Amino acid sequence: MDTTPINWEALDALIIDFAKSEKLVEDSSFTTSSSPPSSPPSSSSPSSISSSSYHSRLIIRQIRRLLEAGDIDAAIDLLRSHAPFILEDHRLLFRLQKQRFIELLRRGTTEDRDCAINCLRNALAPCALDAYPEAYEEFKHVLLAFIYDKEDQTSPVASEWSERRRFDIAGLISTVLRAHLHAYDPVFSMTLIYLISIHKGFCFRQGISSPISDLTQRLLLEERDPPATPQETLYEAPPFDEVDIQALAHAVELTRQGAVDSLRFAKGDLFQAFQNELCRMRFDVIMLDELVREYCVYRGIVDSGILSSSAAGIQSPSKSLKVDQPGIGFCLSRGSSHEVDSGAGKHSDGEISISTNDNLGGSPGKNSEVTSMQGVDVELRYAFESTNNHEDCSTSGSHQSDNLRVPQRSKANVTAERSKRKRWRGRQDDICFTTGVSYNETSKELSTTAVVSNMCSSREQQASECLSLDINNVEDKYEIVLGMKELTSKGMAAEVVEEVNAMDPNFFVQNPTLLFQLKQVEFLKLVTSGDHSSALRVACSHLGPLAASDQALLKPLKETLLALLQPNEDALGKGLPLHALATSLQVAIGRRLGIDEPQLMKIMRATLHTHNEWFKLQMCKDHFENLLKIDSLKDVTTPSLAAAAISKSNADSCSNGSSQVTVSSSTRMVEDGSSLTQVSSRDVVCDENAILKVMEFLALPRADAIHLLAQYNGNAETVIQQIFA
């Protein structure tokens, strides 16, 4: 099975940037919101892509919610405060006032009806005169709402009464705000949307089923925000490069005219137009956050948020704070010892109890309990993942740990590793940013949340100092797996083998390739240190027998031994990508302990694989892979020394539940900017202009245009004549 190697370190960097940009983790170095919306960063080149201001994205989300709820007046007030340029565009102002008129009528009271009439006279009618040519006709048409009831689905204004109009105007305003404020989604969000979009299109066109369809269908929604209409002055813009038009049209599935309009709105900036179109695609934010959090916990980027039972009784001097949620017990003692209770729990004297709802979307729930802390009323919500969520990661009944032994981990090492992790906080700012809540009230609530979070962090640091690992404890399983990953990343192969054998003597019997790779690291480390005799003992005792039992390892063994001829070079650094090996080992040990790899890893494997296959069919490079860091995700430098072993290990590690889609292609890819494209085994050379001409006239994907040209000796005119004949 063919697999696409993935640079998990590059993905970690994208995920961390995403979490910081959206303020999902507590981080004192967070500076994303430092740039004001009034001075957006430039995005004219791939290297200058920016997540922009967090505050701007928060404002846009709030305006969207208000418009979707029909609160047009509050939305206009926010626009007047933060984006007055929207109200200066009479095209947008007319749409807002028309929706405001409908919402006033929808309320049905005599007072609101009078307000609707005033809206017509003072706001809607003046806007209709100079908004756009069709505006006055729309103005006269919407007057029929006075006569026809909102429940009448057969009326001429049924579409005006439809609540769908709220979502359309909300999407349109959001699109314009994003572009003007450069408040684009974080790079990872856009990358994931793009990869999933290509994956779904590839599977549909090839007529094959996706192994991750259950995830992609829920994550990437079908609807898109309406496109922004360019100003009339931009309709006379000079013609755009046909390469840019076709690249944009096929990257985000637009018509040619749609791509031209998008470029006009972006004033000819291809990469800004691409970002505008990507951010029009909608995805499930709650699901994305959960996928990211699962990945971050698995990779040791953030703490799991679950205290082990051994830490529950640690004392510190004062009162205690207890957070109760179904399935979660979380107790911070500041006085006498308290027992962590996963149910409702009893509260002793002096405790402050905060009950959270499990509505991950952040909207207030019936079960939320508002309490008082230091004189400030706050509503705290935590999106903790329940213990059962970790236990259910196992996809097979074979993951039993009863016969496993705990590796002898140093408590100091565990404490040091935990200290590097950040605490997950969720979209608390988003939750607080609701209608009727002032900025001062919001800041008070957030500061109180920070106090609670700091207390949690201090408590966990104390707990980790006396941590004892338990092979049957879910969080301790994560500590074991992350500890092995950390050791492997540092090149401490001998220690890893020793600890894994102590935990499970049969592990390397079932995973001989991983043992071979670890022994390679040990061999190369000894060669680098100049201890050639010990290195040869490792080769004779382990590498040789393993290669004898698996012919695929014979070539890597020979190349490994070549390191003896280069004693003055860093053989270890050049011989094996340690981070890739660490991830392979993490997946394998995690599966042995009953912890399946995160769903996000499966999504990335499948989508990057189909991205490769799709552009093989297109016979060109992706114009936007640098912009979205896709090239970094694929940049796995695997020297020939261990290529076969790494490839085999990666294939084995993703065979469980993440099978890839493979489509063979007899074509070869060429670099961007090449004027010629080689086609199939017939060696028919197609001129780039001919390809673009066929794509433009016939509205065909690049691959189909090339195949047609190949049938007619690369002559675009002949192809077009034959099609229209």
Side-chain angles (χ1 to χ4, degrees), residues 385-396 474 594-596:
E385 186 175 351
S386 69
T387 304
N388 290 335
N389 286 345
H390 288 300
E391 292 173 343
D392 290 341
C393 286
S394 173
T395 58
S396 170
V474 175
I595 302 173
D596 199 8

Side-chain angles (χ1 to χ4, degrees), residues 213-278:
S213 59
D214 58 325
L215 295 171
T216 56
Q217 294 297 334
R218 288 184 289 135
L219 189 57
L220 184 61
L221 308 179
E222 292 296 330
E223 63 266 20
R224 298 187 186 189
D225 288 339
T229 306
Q231 296 280 357
E232 292 182 5
T233 55
L234 298 177
Y235 280 103
E236 300 301 323
F240 303 113
D241 191 329
E242 189 64 32
V243 173
D244 290 350
I245 295 173
Q246 294 298 335
L248 181 61
H250 292 287
V252 289
E253 297 183 350
L254 295 175
T255 63
R256 185 180 183 280
Q257 186 58 49
V260 170
D261 288 342
S262 183
L263 284 167
R264 280 175 177 155
F265 181 72
K267 299 180 180 178
D269 189 326
L270 173 64
F271 296 106
Q272 184 176 336
F274 176 69
Q275 292 176 75
N276 290 340
E277 295 302 322
L278 269 188

Side-chain angles (χ1 to χ4, degrees), residues 57 67 73 79 108 127 225 262 299 332 402 429 431 448 485 598 606 623:
R57 295 198 304 277
L67 292 173
D73 286 324
L79 287 168
C127 278
D225 288 339
S262 183
R299 296 285 289 174
L332 298 182
D402 296 339
D429 295 3
I431 294 168
T448 307
K485 171 177 170 282
H623 283 70

